[in-house]
Amino acid sequence: MTAQRDRERLQRIAAVVSAADASDPARAICDACVAALPVAGASIVLTAGGIPTALASSDAVAARIEELQATLGEGPCADACESGRPVGEPDLAAPRRARWVAFAPAALAAGAAAVFALPVRIGAVRLGALTFYRSRAGDLSDEQHVDARLMADVVAHVVLAIQAQAAPGTLGPALEPLVGHRAVVHQASGMVSVQLGVGVGEALVRLRAHAFAAGRELGDVAADVVARRLRLG
Amino acid sequence: MVLLTERCVELLDVSAAGLLLSDGSGALRLMAATSEATEMVELFQVQSDEGPCCDCFRSGVPVNAVDLTDESERWPRFAPVAVAAGFHAVSAFPLRLRGQVLGALNLFRTEPVMPGRADMATAQALADVATIALLQNRAITVSHELNEQLEHALNSRIAIEQAKGVIAERLTCGVDEAFSRLRRFSRNGQRRLSEVARDVVEGRLTPEEIDTIRR
């Protein structure tokens, strides 16, 4: 009986490894993780220019959760990236620890009842996080936590393997969404830096603050700036 | 790794298992095995240049032989050693990630039986998991370099987007037009686009200077 269970567990993890060979490996890995673990959705998030950016998400709710964290600058993903340790909240409605005052209610409203983030790292190199959400509250088992960490290791190797195939000085093609997805935010940071006479880093902070105060997503606010429907300062 | 070969024996009902890895020069070396008996070690050693693991490593696909007494033509050195050690059937599964083959998982049976479809899938799954464990151990230095390259490439691309914004705002043009001007300037001065972009973002080069190149 246990052998049969072990065998199935092993094959679920192996499916995540095999997904690395897909034409869109990041998305395929997210989907394989969702099939392998009792979670509703998954995202692969890498830090790019100070913003956690989803390389891929398995569904719209997972994408929305990442967008929220990018806007608010807090959440399990940021904590996992910063600490290099797994971070989770099995019940966002009744959290074990008071944290993420802005993110938790917003994530609940978006349809997540529990969130988990595993650091994507190799040794001291920290790349980002593999994040999961559940639509019902509840923790993962110890065994599932172990499997999830292994899946995050797979992500780390796949990201570097993609970059290893890129021409010197260029970005691996499968990593292109990291810039493409946020191009408007970076452009808006440039524009706001001129409007306020500050550096682009500070401009990004102001953009985030504006989005948070207005209850909007960072990407939407940035699009308004680039289209000149909005000026800061 | 030894644990992994032991799990193979348990899960797959094989008699012995070993993990062979490429040493960088392309030769396979034994990393771990369920038994350290001399005849076993020899069996893995002989495969440094011939045998199922070699074939598997070179082709990247699983290799199976049901009756080793029939295989002395295919593997003149390996087959007799394996038969002498009491084995009849052998399989090898590749350790691979994104097109790269790192080594092979080698399984031996005393009976001349072909592994079933489910066993084949489990064995490949074990090989896949071994690949990740292995990369985790060996890849630290390479990872640092690759991560630096990744960060550099990302930052270059992001600086270009930010510079487009700076130029668009200062020269009151669209971001596409801003990009055309940035590119014209960098081509004209034969400089890298990302370098020029960084100079703009960090204030070493003004959008007005960029705009002196016109056409």
Side-chain angles (χ1 to χ4, degrees):
Chain A
M1 285 305 106
T2 7
Q4 179 60 28
R5 226 172 54 91
D6 282 357
R7 207 170 292 175
E8 284 167 11
R9 181 183 173 200
L10 191 60
Q11 271 159 24
R12 285 194 297 268
I13 297 168
V16 176
V17 179
S18 306
D21 292 322
S23 59
D24 182 358
R27 176 60 199 265
I29 289 173
C30 285
D31 291 344
C33 287
V34 173
L37 292 169
V39 296
S43 294
I44 294 173
V45 184
L46 301 184
T47 309
I51 317 174
T53 303
L55 181 58
S57 294
S58 64
D59 66 306
V61 175
R64 167 96 180 117
I65 292 169
E66 293 321 316
E67 195 60 40
L68 280 171
Q69 296 188 70
T71 302
L72 303 171
E74 68 169 26
C77 179
D79 290 0
C81 292
E82 212 164 281
S83 67
R85 291 168 187 284
V87 174
E89 181 46 74
D91 190 355
L92 281 170
R96 293 176 295 187
R97 281 209 277 145
R99 55 182 165 180
W100 313 326
V101 284
F103 169 75
L108 272 168
V115 288
F116 305 93
L118 293 307
V120 169
R121 56 183 290 188
I122 298 173
V125 173
R126 289 177 195 168
L127 299 165
L130 173 64
T131 67
F132 302 118
Y133 81 91
R134 301 185 83 171
S135 41
R136 281 188 198 170
D139 208 346
L140 299 175
S141 70
D142 289 350
E143 204 171 75
Q144 287 157 354
H145 272 292
V146 171
D147 292 352
R149 290 182 79 152
L150 192 59
M151 291 169 198
D153 289 346
V154 175
V155 173
H157 289 292
V158 169
V159 167
L160 293 185
I162 292 170
Q163 185 57 30
Q165 289 158 0
T170 68
L171 197 59
L175 300 175
E176 199 58 36
L178 289 176
V179 179
H181 184 52
R182 293 269 184 240
V184 171
V185 175
H186 299 307
Q187 290 161 8
S189 296
M191 292 178 73
V192 169
S193 80
V194 174
Q195 291 168 10
L196 299 175
V198 297
V200 282
E202 172 67 18
L204 173 63
V205 172
R206 301 287 190 94
L207 273 171
R208 269 185 172 150
H210 183 93
F212 176 65
R216 302 179 60 202
E217 287 189 356
L218 180 62
D220 293 344
V221 169
D224 277 358
V225 169
V226 171
R228 295 196 159 83
R229 289 187 293 264
L230 174 69
R231 281 184 70 84
L232 299 188
Chain B
M1 288 293 164
V2 175
L3 205 68
L4 191 112
T5 57
E6 282 166 1
R7 300 289 281 151
C8 288
V9 173
E10 280 167 37
L11 282 173
L12 299 169
D13 195 25
V14 296
S15 315
L19 209 54
L20 285 88
L21 298 179
S22 151
D23 66 358
S25 69
L28 289 174
R29 304 212 181 283
L30 180 65
M31 264 287 283
T34 45
S35 156
E36 290 188 6
T38 21
E39 63 270 31
M40 280 309 295
V41 173
E42 195 195 344
L43 195 50
F44 291 117
Q45 267 168 1
V46 74
Q47 292 192 69
S48 60
D49 50 24
E50 175 209 292
C53 280
C54 265
D55 294 356
C56 171
F57 177 67
R58 289 195 189 118
S59 66
V61 296
V63 170
N64 286 292
V66 183
D67 191 354
L68 282 168
T69 53
D70 265 2
E71 302 288 356
S72 49
E73 245 173 65
R74 189 175 175 190
W75 300 313
R77 298 211 297 132
F78 167 77
V81 181
V83 172
F87 297 116
H88 268 95
V90 66
S91 309
F93 294 88
L95 267 54
R96 55 187 185 192
L97 183 75
R98 275 194 79 79
Q100 200 191 351
V101 184
L102 304 155
L105 174 64
N106 203 184
L107 306 175
F108 291 94
R109 287 182 172 79
T110 48
E111 302 301 312
V113 285
M114 184 76 181
R117 190 178 284 270
D119 280 351
M120 296 268 282
T122 305
Q124 186 59 58
L126 275 162
D128 286 346
V129 173
T131 308
I132 292 305
L134 191 75
L135 284 169
Q136 203 66 5
N137 285 337
R138 84 152 57 162
I140 307 280
T141 352
V142 183
S143 301
H144 267 288
E145 275 167 36
L146 277 175
N147 184 49
E148 265 168 32
Q149 286 169 25
L150 172 61
E151 248 173 40
H152 182 77
L154 259 179
N155 290 339
S156 297
R157 293 290 311 279
I158 288 169
I160 292 169
E161 297 303 329
Q162 292 167 335
K164 278 156 86 172
V166 170
I167 295 167
E169 180 67 19
R170 187 71 67 77
L171 304 181
T172 335
C173 62
V175 284
D176 291 342
E177 173 59 23
F179 181 63
S180 302
R181 295 187 193 187
L182 187 68
R183 193 172 47 192
R184 206 179 298 145
F185 182 86
S186 76
R187 278 188 186 158
N188 204 274
Q190 306 213 333
R191 294 183 58 201
R192 280 170 185 269
L193 189 60
S194 59
E195 266 175 39
V196 175
R198 215 162 271 159
D199 282 352
V200 170
V201 171
E202 285 164 17
R204 285 186 295 272
L205 195 59
T206 65
E208 287 76 12
E209 285 173 272
I210 293 282
D211 208 31
T212 53
I213 312 294
R214 271 186 175 278
R215 210 133 76 94

